[in-house]
Amino acid sequence: MPELEHLLEELLREEQEIQLSDFSNTTAIAVGRRILELATKEKLPITIDVCRNGQQLFHAALPGTSRDNDKWIKRKNRVVNHFGHSSYYMGTRYKSQGSTIEVKSLLPEAEYAPHGGAFPVIIRNVGVVGTVTVSGLAQEEDHGLVVRVLREFVAGG
């Protein structure tokens, strides 16, 4: 499983690199709008969610999505809020251990989804203060879209 170990290292590196100096309501809305802009342009059937300290600051559902996407977002967000890591990282970690969230952490999969798409909003020298989440694509693509946009904000874009 060297490929999983390499992926885990890459996912941890993303969390170390993608840290903001602050995360205001305005920033949260801007992040959500940027994901919405890209998704609209690329005609992606996704739901977007941005939260800070449990407060939903942005939410949008594009054509092709359903209530199921909202449920996936809640389940993915619970993973990030519980562990402080991206939902993709946690799912990959369980897979690399040949286990599941239910077996390893005693958390029900009906409530916790360790699948790509939820990324922690990390404030430098503070820690995790929220989540940016996408649901609707393959887990790697959900994760990749969130990371792509958060990298823009870290770079000042």
Side-chain angles (χ1 to χ4, degrees), residues 59-124:
H59 190 86
L62 292 166
T65 62
S66 71
R67 291 176 54 196
D68 283 344
N69 296 102
D70 292 328
K71 291 176 184 176
W72 274 97
I73 283 172
K74 287 176 184 173
R75 292 171 57 222
K76 291 176 185 184
N77 284 348
R78 284 187 190 112
V79 170
V80 174
N81 290 324
H82 188 86
F83 295 101
H85 290 290
S86 75
S87 55
Y88 192 34
Y89 171 82
M90 292 308 301
T92 303
R93 189 166 124 192
Y94 290 121
K95 187 175 180 182
S96 76
Q97 296 169 342
S99 191
T100 67
I101 196 167
E102 288 202 29
V103 170
K104 198 79 171 169
S105 298
L106 304 176
L107 296 172
E109 287 200 42
E111 297 293 320
Y112 293 82
H115 299 276
F119 197 88
V121 174
I122 305 168
I123 303 295
R124 196 176 308 100

Side-chain angles (χ1 to χ4, degrees), residues 8-33:
L8 285 169
E9 290 172 11
E10 181 183 325
L11 294 171
L12 280 179
R13 192 168 35 255
E14 287 174 349
E15 291 175 14
Q16 292 164 356
E17 294 170 359
I18 302 174
Q19 297 190 13
L20 302 163
S21 58
D22 64 45
F23 194 68
S24 66
N25 288 30
T26 303
T27 303
I29 292 166
V31 167
R33 287 176 132 170

Side-chain angles (χ1 to χ4, degrees), residues 145-157:
L145 181 57
V146 172
V147 165
R148 175 178 159 194
V149 169
L150 286 175
R151 280 193 191 283
E152 289 178 15
F153 280 81
V154 168

